[in-house]
Amino acid sequence: MTSFDPLQLLTAYDRGRLVPFTGSGMSVPACTTWVQFVARLESGADIPAPAMSGSTSARLVERALVALRVQRRMGISLPDAVRTALYRSPGGSLPENAVALAKLHWPLICTTNYDDIHLRATAHCLLEKGTAPDDLPDIRVLGRSDADCKRLLQHLALPAEQTIWALQGFLHPTHADARAVLDPAQAFDALEHELVVGHAEYRRVTHRAPHFRRAFAELFRSRSLLFLGSGLNEAYFRMLFDEIVELGGTPGQPH
């Protein structure tokens, strides 16, 4: 990892090598923060707010998983529980940071977000520039499946369409603007099935998916990742990067 260098970012972007890696901070305030998300999961499960809430990452994940377990017993599906807790104003204004990112053309965006904010922001920016509705792009959302990881590798070799790689699952978009820029053949049942809450659960899932780790390693080695709205404090990401470096050596470009 290197210090921030705008000229280096510009060079990587011009070469088609810069890939935004977006986290929940890019969707606030249209979506909840992680702390708010957990609190709303507990509210949906009728779990009283803890007297001492505890805001450590591990404690928040534990609270979220307990709340989701209770909601499943109540007959609420995981996608419905996550959607209700995530969106603060489903049809409200877009976050400024998301709009700023969408003003540029990105062949690939990597994200840990479940929401449709980037899709909405892309449609908003293009329509504002005068793009005809029939000329909007057909963005593809890929997940962690073997087939999707193969498509991701093909995209890295030949980026023919705009693609979002959703690492922790993705909710079916309900906003008309988001649907307007989606690939018509896009299906979301599998992506909603891939939803995970918290990096501990994500780690358990991806450790059983060597095809995903191979695809992520190729992305890490061949592109410069620009982390936005997401920190690198999670131990899992550190371990994943260390594994890639140990097996394949130091990447030739900075992150």
Side-chain angles (χ1 to χ4, degrees):
M1 309 298 168
T2 65
S3 59
F4 179 79
D5 183 346
L7 292 179
Q8 205 166 39
L9 288 179
L10 181 60
T11 300
Y13 179 82
D14 287 343
R15 295 175 58 207
R17 296 287 174 177
L18 189 64
V19 174
F21 190 120
T22 62
S24 59
M26 291 296 289
S27 299
V28 175
C31 297
T32 54
T33 65
W34 176 228
V35 174
Q36 293 166 340
F37 176 74
V38 173
R40 291 179 70 164
L41 285 176
E42 290 176 328
S43 176
D46 293 326
I47 297 175
M52 298 184 64
S53 58
S55 59
T56 65
S57 178
R59 175 60 179 145
L60 287 171
V61 169
E62 179 185 340
R63 289 169 52 193
L65 294 179
V66 169
L68 286 170
R69 195 176 304 125
V70 172
Q71 290 205 43
R72 279 194 289 267
R73 291 172 183 165
M74 297 166 64
I76 302 171
S77 69
L78 176 61
D80 286 342
V82 170
R83 182 178 290 106
T84 300
L86 180 65
Y87 287 107
R88 296 182 63 181
S89 52
S93 59
L94 291 164
E96 292 181 7
N97 287 337
V99 173
L101 183 68
K103 287 181 178 178
L104 294 176
H105 174 78
W106 299 101
L108 175 64
I109 285 182
C110 188
T111 187
T112 55
N113 294 345
Y114 318 121
D115 59 71
D116 63 2
I117 297 300
H118 178 71
L119 294 169
R120 286 180 54 198
T122 299
H124 167 82
C125 291
L126 291 173
L127 293 171
E128 196 174 56
K129 287 168 58 178
T131 304
D134 290 342
D135 294 331
L136 291 173
D138 293 335
I139 299 175
R140 185 75 178 174
V141 184
L142 301 178
R144 298 188 307 270
S145 70
D146 191 6
D148 277 359
C149 287
K150 289 178 180 177
R151 292 190 188 100
L152 188 280
L153 292 173
Q154 292 169 353
H155 178 84
L156 292 176
L158 184 64
E161 61 184 4
Q162 292 187 56
T163 298
I164 296 174
W165 194 17
L167 303 184
Q168 298 194 33
F170 203 83
L171 292 170
H172 193 297
T174 57
H175 197 282
D177 284 354
R179 295 198 301 269
V181 294
L182 277 172
D183 185 332
Q186 179 75 58
F188 282 93
D189 288 349
L191 291 171
E192 289 193 337
H193 185 70
E194 291 179 359
L195 288 173
V196 293
V197 177
H199 293 310
E201 187 178 0
Y202 177 66
R203 181 176 62 248
R204 287 193 295 271
V205 170
T206 57
H207 275 182
R208 298 193 296 268
H211 54 274
F212 166 78
R213 297 203 306 278
R214 285 195 296 269
F216 193 89
E218 182 59 29
L219 172 72
F220 186 80
R221 285 193 292 261
S222 65
R223 298 293 190 270
S224 285
L225 300 179
L226 174 62
F227 292 86
L228 300 167
S230 173
L232 288 175
N233 294 327
E234 292 293 342
Y236 174 67
F237 283 115
R238 296 281 189 180
M239 291 169 59
L240 184 59
F241 298 149
D242 288 345
E243 176 185 333
I244 295 169
V245 171
E246 183 175 348
L247 294 177
T250 303
Q253 69 291 314
H255 298 291

